[in-house]
Amino acid sequence: YSHPAAYTGDGHSLLVMLGGAGRTSLWQVAPPGSPRPAGRYRVPLPRYGPLAAISPDGRHLLKTDATGVELWDATGDPPVLRQSLTYDGGVSGPQFTPDGRYALAYVPGPALVTWAVTTKGLVERDRVDGNLRAYAVSPDGKTAALGGDQKLDLYDLAEGKLKLRTSLNVPAKALSFSPDCKTLAAGDQAVKLIDVESARVAREFSFREVRNEAVVCEQLAYHPDGRHLFVANGNHTVYVLRLAPPPGP
């Protein structure tokens, strides 16, 4: 089997896990329609779950699994392991901030941890405990959203520190910020569009049952144009919501 792990920040390269052999392959995927291998390395990745993240500048690879987290220097050929941190219960959901200076991931607790990415490796900066089911970082790196079974928290994110801004009574299993950072989509049994500045629900979408089964959102992703929202559901359906254009100046 093979499994996509992470894209580089420019979207031109894709890191792919190659089944069973503890190897990964880097593919050039731009221009579309003509992918070609760019290297094959021994960076073993876990088989399931959020696998890895590549920093926006392509210099670092963050790999998580059931034992902890590893930071790899991705500038070499092959990449070089710089640091390995052990967390009982494992680490998942890695992500870099848009500037690449900080990294985030889930750790047991459950909790969301932020690390500073330094020349010496990862240095833990902050930790937020709670019933976490999803998190997202805004494209400008200034806001983090943490979703749970009963509520959604918005945090100011600065220098790797999380400062609670406000809480909403909105359950969230999936989260995605719009490209302009003004709207946060939160999905569970419905998809709500939340105005980030006012922290109010601006619009809500619900879906009819499919074969007598409720539609529960699992993943959300905005298109770069900000006009379309992709909704992936637990019943193997995908909806594309066409959104109203943003108001003029």
Side-chain angles (χ1 to χ4, degrees), residues 12 14 27-38:
H12 291 175
L14 171 66
W27 286 74
Q28 296 291 332
V29 292
S34 56
R36 60 192 185 278

Side-chain angles (χ1 to χ4, degrees), residues 44-161:
L45 295 175
R47 181 171 181 178
Y48 302 109
L51 302 173
I54 299 174
S55 61
D57 61 7
R59 296 178 60 85
H60 300 101
L61 167 66
L62 196 66
K63 170 229 171 180
T64 62
D65 60 20
T67 62
V69 58
E70 293 178 353
L71 181 68
W72 290 71
D73 183 345
T75 60
D77 188 4
V80 177
L81 177 63
R82 291 183 54 197
Q83 184 185 29
S84 180
L85 300 175
T86 300
Y87 284 84
D88 292 337
V91 182
S92 63
Q95 183 176 337
F96 284 93
T97 55
D99 60 10
R101 296 173 57 204
Y102 303 95
L104 305 88
Y106 295 112
V107 299
L112 183 69
V113 166
T114 65
W115 296 279
V117 182
T118 72
T119 56
K120 296 182 179 180
L122 299 174
V123 178
E124 188 168 321
R125 292 283 291 162
D126 209 350
R127 177 185 295 240
V128 175
D129 296 297
N131 183 17
L132 305 179
R133 298 173 67 190
Y135 83 93
V137 177
S138 61
D140 61 7
K142 296 180 180 180
T143 305
L146 280 64
D149 289 327
Q150 302 296 329
K151 68 172 184 173
L152 170 64
D153 295 329
L154 291 176
Y155 285 82
D156 292 319
L157 178 59
E159 301 299 319
K161 292 287 188 177

